[in-house]
């Protein structure tokens, strides 16, 4: 049994078939890529797995636990951390508060701790602060800890969002176009960061990318999605040389 | 000519910034000591001084009321304020700064809890002595403290959580009637419930229970708003909560057991100043603890982006319902106190005007901020009392002020500021 396994997942938005018979099996520690042109249904697949949408058909299993029908926060606390394509941050909160918030489901001090500030609360809050600082340092943004997140540069915000997802200690980390809107230099840095977190923390990573080069370098196995269907799956070399992929995708859009 | 006026303005600016620097070195303890000196001075020389400078009596609320009624007395009022309040506070605060800084540092090193208690005692002493001059001051102070509780609890919902709830007067009514029925039924001889069931002497010990009951009744009522409102995403809360407020009001009007529209009176006289003060302090302490915990900050996450909150393991629905009930609980406790301060309530009190007043306090003071709620509640309460002689015009001036605040500071005077007790009571930096 794989860590994350998806069987014959299909989803309709009204009459539009956004995802069709999607299958996936991620092993622990694996780095997987999902590529495809705009509107292919990549983000929809993330949203289906994380419980934002319910699939019309199909089964999703994480470590043997069925995820279908569970609410997003439960799925998240079962071990799926994610970032969003358009970065969803909390505009009035500081960087440190962002990262600490992702420890929410791990807090056990309850209402007594929240209302009366028990010793247990202070201990748990201190512990999650420590974890948060470690992650912020790892991503090179610890100097912004007390700043409101909106005051940060775009690249730094992306890192904060990633640190936040890591604070959940996920079994699989979902990254939705983490290099979107970045210049070549920032792109290289982001790739280094992804390599580094995979090296140090070792969780499985599921990566949506637009730019071929990123997935080719980072991923062990890649799927190509077109109009909601997987047209090819394999190692970077296999994908690069697959005539269907070249026809549908590589030849036209991205020659970077 | 120009040069001199320039020089003058520079001098004045230097003086002002000098004053600000001097004030920033004064610890809270020294300010309280100064205030204590001022109110004690008023006890002894307030009356003769007022008489001597041609005032009819001691200006009861810093003279605002008299100023509006008889503008000719403004210089005398200014003199009174100067001599009784400003001068003693400034002098004593200045003289005691060094000693108080040392004391504050020592206390904080030893035990923060002790320092907090000392501050609270001193602060209470100031309020108590100030209020002793007249019953009116006592009443204004009690209502002001209750307003702080109401504003802060509404801020949890409308500020920290970013929803728009209109049901606070309803929760207050539930708390007021819940607590009153308990105390009137058990401890007083009255025409609605007959003779007292327990000896009144036991009463004061039961008062906290009465307030707790008031809070719980309000929280149960809040469930009726929360469950339908937070079921799905979308903005139903404003409408459902407004409906709730009217339903509670007409429900009480039609309940003859609690007096219907005539109201419910003869509550025992247990809500004295120390009780109201202590309840307010506990309320601020618990709410501040909550909003500073990660569990409380989950409210901000839900407000700023619910999808992200969900994805980061926050149980958004539970968080919202819980915070809503929590806010309602404190509104209920405040309602219970309110009923026992006035010792009479009727359903008419808990209508749209109360709602407007509370919303004004929250949005004027500042969203997402304990400081803001304290400032908003005290500011609007005092303003309301001060402008009382203007009668109807009061309801033009206060909304106008609100509009100005909304234009220049859309989130209120002191929004998004953490209330850090340690920072408040710590010693201030001395001159290098
Ligand atoms: N909530 C929604 N309702 C209706 N259609 C949607 C919704 N979300 C996405 N779609 C449609 O589904 C298709 C796939 O979108 P998406 O998953 O965002 O693509 P990608 O991430 O691959 O660019 C697009 O045609 C898009 O318009
Ligand atoms: Mg997308």
């Amino acid at each position: 049994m794989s860590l994350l396994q998806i069987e014959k997942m299909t989803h309709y938005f009204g009459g539009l078939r956004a995802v069709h018979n999607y299958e996936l099996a991620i092993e622990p520690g694996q780095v997987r890529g999902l590529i495809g042109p705009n509107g292919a249904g990549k983000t929809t697949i993330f949203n289906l797995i994380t419980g934002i949408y319910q699939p019309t058909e199909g089964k999703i299993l994480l470590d043997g636990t069925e995820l279908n029908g569970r609410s997003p926060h439960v799925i998240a606390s079962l071990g799926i951390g994610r970032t969003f394509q358009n970065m969803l941050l909390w505009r009035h909160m500081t960087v440190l508060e962002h990262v600490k918030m992702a420890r929410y489901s791990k807090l056990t001090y309850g209402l007594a701790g929240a209302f009366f500030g028990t010793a247990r609360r202070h201990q748990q809050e201190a512990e999650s602060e420590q974890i948060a600082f470690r992650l912020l340092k790892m991503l090179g943004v610890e100097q912004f800890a007390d700043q409101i997140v909106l005051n940060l540069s775009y690249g730094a915000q992306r890192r904060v969002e990633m640190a936040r997802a890591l604070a959940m200690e996920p079994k699989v980390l979902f990254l939705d176009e983490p290099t979107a809107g970045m210049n070549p230099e920032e792109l290289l840095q982001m790739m280094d960061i992804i390599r580094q977190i995979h090296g140090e923390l070792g969780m499985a990573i599921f990566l949506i990318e637009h730019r071929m080069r990123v997935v080719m370098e980072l991923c062990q196995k890649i799927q190509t999605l077109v109009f909601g269907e997987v047209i090819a799956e394999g190692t970077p070399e296999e994908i690069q040389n697959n005539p269907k992929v070249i026809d549908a995708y590589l030849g036209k859009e991205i020659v970077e | 000519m120009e040069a001199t006026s320039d020089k003058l303005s520079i001098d004045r600016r230097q003086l002002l910034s000098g004053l600000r620097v001097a004030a920033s070195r004064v610890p809270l303890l020294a300010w309280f000591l100064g205030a204590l000196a001022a109110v004690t001075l008023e006890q002894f020389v307030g009356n003769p001084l007022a008489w001597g400078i041609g005032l009819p009596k001691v200006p009861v609320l810093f003279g605002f009321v008299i100023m509006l009624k008889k503008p000719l007395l403004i210089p005398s009022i200014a003199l009174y304020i100067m001599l009784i309040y400003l001068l003693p506070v400034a002098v004593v605060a200045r003289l005691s700064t060094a000693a108080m800084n040392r004391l504050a540092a020592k206390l904080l090193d030893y035990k923060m809890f002790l320092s907090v208690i000392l501050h609270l005692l001193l602060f209470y002493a100031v309020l108590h002595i100030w209020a002793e001059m007249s019953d009116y001051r006592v009443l204004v102070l009690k209502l002001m403290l209750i307003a702080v509780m109401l504003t802060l609890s509404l801020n949890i919902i409308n500020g920290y959580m970013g929803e728009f709830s209109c049901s606070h007067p309803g929760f207050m009514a539930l708390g007021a009637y819940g607590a009153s029925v308990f105390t009137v039924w058990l401890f007083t001889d009255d025409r609605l419930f007959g003779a007292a069931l327990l000896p009144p002497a036991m009463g004061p010990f039961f008062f906290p229970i009465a307030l707790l009951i008031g809070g719980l009744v309000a929280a149960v009522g809040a469930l009726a708003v929360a469950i339908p409102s937070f079921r799905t995403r979308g903005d139903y809360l404003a409408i459902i909560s407004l409906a709730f407020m009217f339903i509670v009001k007409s429900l009480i009007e039609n309940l003859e057991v609690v007096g219907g529209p005539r109201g419910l009176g003869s509550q025992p006289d247990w809500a004295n100043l120390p009780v109201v003060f202590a309840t307010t302090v506990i309320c601020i302490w618990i709410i501040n603890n909550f909003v500073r915990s990660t569990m409380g900050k989950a409210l901000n996450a839900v407000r700023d982006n619910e999808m992200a909150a969900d994805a980061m393991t926050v149980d958004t629905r539970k968080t919202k319902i819980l915070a809503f009930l929590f806010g309602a609980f404190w509104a209920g406790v405040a309602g219970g106190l309110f009923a026992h301060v006035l010792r009479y309530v009727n359903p008419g009190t808990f209508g749209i005007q109360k709602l407007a007043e509370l919303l004004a306090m929250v949005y004027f003071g500042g969203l997402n901020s304990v400081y803001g709620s304290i400032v908003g509640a005290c500011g609007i309460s005092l303003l309301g009392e001060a402008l009382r002689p203007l009668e109807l015009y009061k309801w033009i001036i206060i909304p106008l002020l609100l509009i100005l605040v909304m234009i220049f500071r859309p989130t209120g005077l002191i929004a998004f500021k953490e209330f850090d007790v340690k920072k408040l009571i710590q010693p201030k930096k001395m001159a290098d």
Side-chain angles (χ1 to χ4, degrees):
Chain A
M1 168 75 65
S2 308
L3 178 61
L4 178 67
Q5 188 156 346
I6 298 172
E7 291 159 14
K8 284 203 178 304
M9 182 169 76
T10 298
H11 187 68
Y12 286 86
F13 285 119
L16 173 79
R17 192 174 69 192
V19 177
H20 184 224
N21 277 347
Y22 180 76
E23 307 242 343
L24 175 74
I26 300 185
E27 306 304 326
Q30 206 175 27
V31 183
R32 296 286 300 243
L34 182 61
I35 59 172
N38 255 328
K42 305 182 296 295
T43 300
T44 304
I45 287 174
F46 269 23
N47 288 344
L48 285 167
I49 301 171
T50 52
I52 292 173
Y53 306 137
Q54 295 298 327
T56 318
E57 271 171 54
K59 210 156 126 187
I60 309 166
L61 296 163
L62 178 71
D63 244 355
T65 314
E66 193 167 331
L67 300 186
N68 298 59
R70 292 181 196 266
S71 42
H73 75 268
V74 176
I75 293 175
S77 50
L78 283 172
I80 295 187
R82 74 173 289 185
T83 64
F84 294 87
Q85 182 172 356
N86 46 343
M87 264 199 303
L88 300 184
L89 298 167
W90 299 305
R91 52 191 311 232
H92 293 106
M93 290 168 63
T94 67
V95 168
L96 182 63
E97 285 168 354
H98 271 78
V99 184
K100 279 178 76 182
M101 186 55 62
R103 311 277 310 162
Y104 181 92
S105 68
K106 301 216 161 37
L107 302 175
T108 58
Y109 56 72
L111 287 183
F115 293 161
F116 306 110
T118 54
R120 191 160 178 199
R121 162 181 164 176
H122 292 302
Q123 179 236 321
Q124 290 188 356
E125 293 277 355
E127 187 189 317
S128 62
E129 191 166 318
Q130 216 178 347
I131 292 171
F133 264 109
R134 209 183 62 221
L135 291 169
L136 288 174
K137 199 169 279 173
M138 191 164 162
L139 294 179
V141 281
E142 86 272 20
Q143 69 273 32
F144 306 124
D146 289 326
Q147 292 205 29
I148 298 296
V149 73
L150 284 195
N151 297 343
L152 270 56
S153 70
Y154 178 81
Q157 288 185 5
R158 282 257 173 220
R159 289 164 189 232
V160 171
E161 202 199 16
M162 207 176 274
R164 181 177 72 173
L166 290 173
M168 296 165 50
E169 293 174 15
K171 293 173 184 159
V172 193
L173 176 66
F174 283 26
L175 301 173
D176 196 345
E177 304 205 16
T179 66
M182 287 188 170
N183 61 36
E185 190 190 341
E186 287 172 324
L187 180 93
L188 287 179
Q189 284 174 358
M190 185 47 81
M191 286 172 66
D192 276 343
I193 285 175
I194 294 172
R195 257 187 227 111
Q196 189 196 352
I197 56 180
H198 184 250
E200 287 186 28
L201 304 172
M203 81 281 281
I205 295 179
F206 190 22
L207 178 74
I208 290 181
E209 251 308 326
H210 213 86
R211 302 196 225 203
M212 213 53 183
R213 192 178 140 203
V214 179
V215 262
M216 291 299 160
E217 282 191 29
L218 292 175
C219 301
Q220 291 141 16
K221 218 168 167 195
I222 298 166
Q223 289 176 323
T224 309
L225 198 71
V226 176
F227 291 122
E229 302 214 36
V230 177
I231 57 160
E233 180 161 357
T235 60
E237 291 75 45
E238 286 166 355
I239 290 290
Q240 250 168 335
N241 301 324
N242 188 315
K244 272 200 217 156
V245 178
I246 295 169
D247 192 37
Y249 184 44
L250 288 178
K252 287 181 218 152
E253 265 193 62
I254 285 169
V255 204
E256 287 174 60
Chain B
M1 200 46 204
E2 244 176 28
T4 33
S5 82
D6 257 10
K7 196 159 174 290
L8 258 180
S9 77
I10 285 170
D11 280 353
R12 194 173 307 146
R13 213 174 301 145
Q14 272 172 348
L15 183 72
L16 272 180
S17 74
L19 273 179
R20 202 174 306 135
V21 169
S24 73
R25 291 191 184 124
V26 180
L28 195 58
L29 266 181
W31 287 121
F32 283 168
L33 214 59
L36 195 64
V39 293
T40 314
L41 189 69
E42 189 180 38
Q43 280 279 321
F44 291 109
V45 303
N47 270 314
L49 178 72
W51 183 78
I53 56 177
L55 292 170
K57 57 179 175 39
V58 167
V60 77
L61 263 188
F62 310 108
F64 289 121
V65 180
I66 310 182
M67 278 198 256
L68 282 171
K69 273 193 191 147
K70 298 187 185 147
L72 277 181
L73 288 178
I74 289 180
S76 304
I77 301 268
L79 188 65
Y80 183 91
I81 301 272
M82 190 75 191
L83 290 179
I84 294 287
Y85 295 121
L86 298 184
L87 216 59
V89 170
V91 169
V92 174
R94 176 74 192 82
L95 290 180
S96 66
T97 288
M100 288 300 125
N101 264 329
R102 254 175 282 132
L103 180 62
K106 221 175 253 169
L107 275 170
L108 207 58
D109 277 348
Y110 179 58
K111 261 203 164 91
M112 183 169 147
F113 179 70
L114 226 67
S115 179
V116 172
I117 295 290
L118 182 71
H119 278 85
L120 284 173
L121 283 178
L122 212 54
F123 185 44
Y124 178 74
V126 171
L127 294 181
H128 189 97
I129 296 173
W130 179 77
E132 208 145 69
M133 296 287 287
S134 81
D135 287 345
Y136 175 67
R137 278 187 182 176
V138 177
L139 183 66
V140 168
L141 204 53
K142 283 180 188 171
L143 292 179
M144 205 157 86
L145 290 168
I146 290 171
V148 169
M149 297 175 69
L150 289 166
T151 308
L152 193 52
S153 58
L154 185 56
N155 206 342
I156 296 176
I157 301 163
N158 288 30
Y160 289 91
M161 184 157 74
E163 298 278 349
F164 195 85
S165 167
C166 303
S167 45
H168 242 54
F171 298 146
M172 207 184 153
L174 288 178
Y177 275 85
S180 297
V181 166
F182 178 77
T183 57
V184 172
W185 181 39
L186 287 181
F187 297 102
T188 57
D189 304 315
D190 80 304
R191 97 200 124 68
L192 284 174
F193 304 111
L197 297 177
L198 291 170
M202 281 168 70
F205 301 103
F206 279 86
F207 193 42
I209 298 178
L211 294 180
L212 212 64
I213 288 175
L216 289 177
V217 171
V220 170
L223 216 50
V225 182
I227 288 176
S229 307
F230 299 136
R231 167 156 296 159
T232 48
R233 283 186 193 149
D235 266 334
Y236 302 111
L237 182 65
I239 295 161
I240 295 178
S241 62
L242 193 64
F244 178 82
M245 183 188 81
F246 287 118
I247 290 170
V248 169
K249 192 164 161 256
S250 58
L251 204 72
I252 297 172
E253 273 165 358
N254 288 299
L255 259 180
E256 277 305 320
V257 199
V258 292
R262 275 166 290 115
L264 177 61
S266 71
Q267 281 89 341
D269 188 14
W270 295 333
N272 51 18
L273 192 55
V275 167
V276 178
F277 180 79
T279 314
T280 309
V281 168
I282 291 171
C283 168
I284 294 175
W285 178 64
I286 291 182
I287 290 182
N288 193 42
N289 271 339
F290 177 64
V291 298
R292 296 189 69 189
S293 72
T294 298
M295 281 179 78
K297 291 210 168 120
L299 287 179
N300 300 355
V302 167
R303 173 197 62 202
D304 287 351
N305 194 309
E306 191 165 341
M307 201 196 267
D310 256 321
M312 293 304 124
T313 74
V314 176
D315 186 345
T316 52
R317 182 152 182 257
K318 191 182 100 191
T319 299
K320 286 200 270 189
I321 291 183
L322 198 124
F324 195 73
L325 299 199
F326 184 54
F329 173 84
W330 285 110
V333 172
L337 275 177
F338 180 77
H340 286 79
V341 164
L342 298 182
R343 305 182 65 195
Y344 166 77
V345 278
N346 69 5
T349 319
F350 306 109
I352 200 95
Q353 193 175 338
K354 191 88 205 158
L355 175 66
E357 199 183 316
L358 292 178
L359 288 174
M361 287 172 180
V362 171
Y363 288 91
F364 173 77
L367 294 175
N368 205 96
S369 155
V370 173
Y371 278 120
S373 286
I374 296 173
V375 168
C378 295
I380 299 278
S381 299
L382 280 178
L383 205 67
E385 288 303 320
L387 297 180
R388 202 177 272 276
L390 297 183
E391 285 156 24
L392 224 59
Y393 292 108
K394 188 173 120 176
W395 291 110
I396 299 174
I397 294 183
I398 292 180
L400 219 63
L401 197 84
L402 252 173
I403 290 170
L404 284 180
V405 170
M406 290 290 115
I407 291 172
F408 292 106
R409 281 187 162 237
T411 49
L413 284 184
I414 315 177
F416 298 100
K417 191 164 159 51
E418 284 217 350
F419 184 72
D420 189 340
V421 177
K422 191 168 173 191
K423 239 189 213 154
L424 204 62
I425 61 174
Q426 75 193 4
K428 301 290 186 289
K429 239 208 183 110
M430 297 296 287
D432 316 295

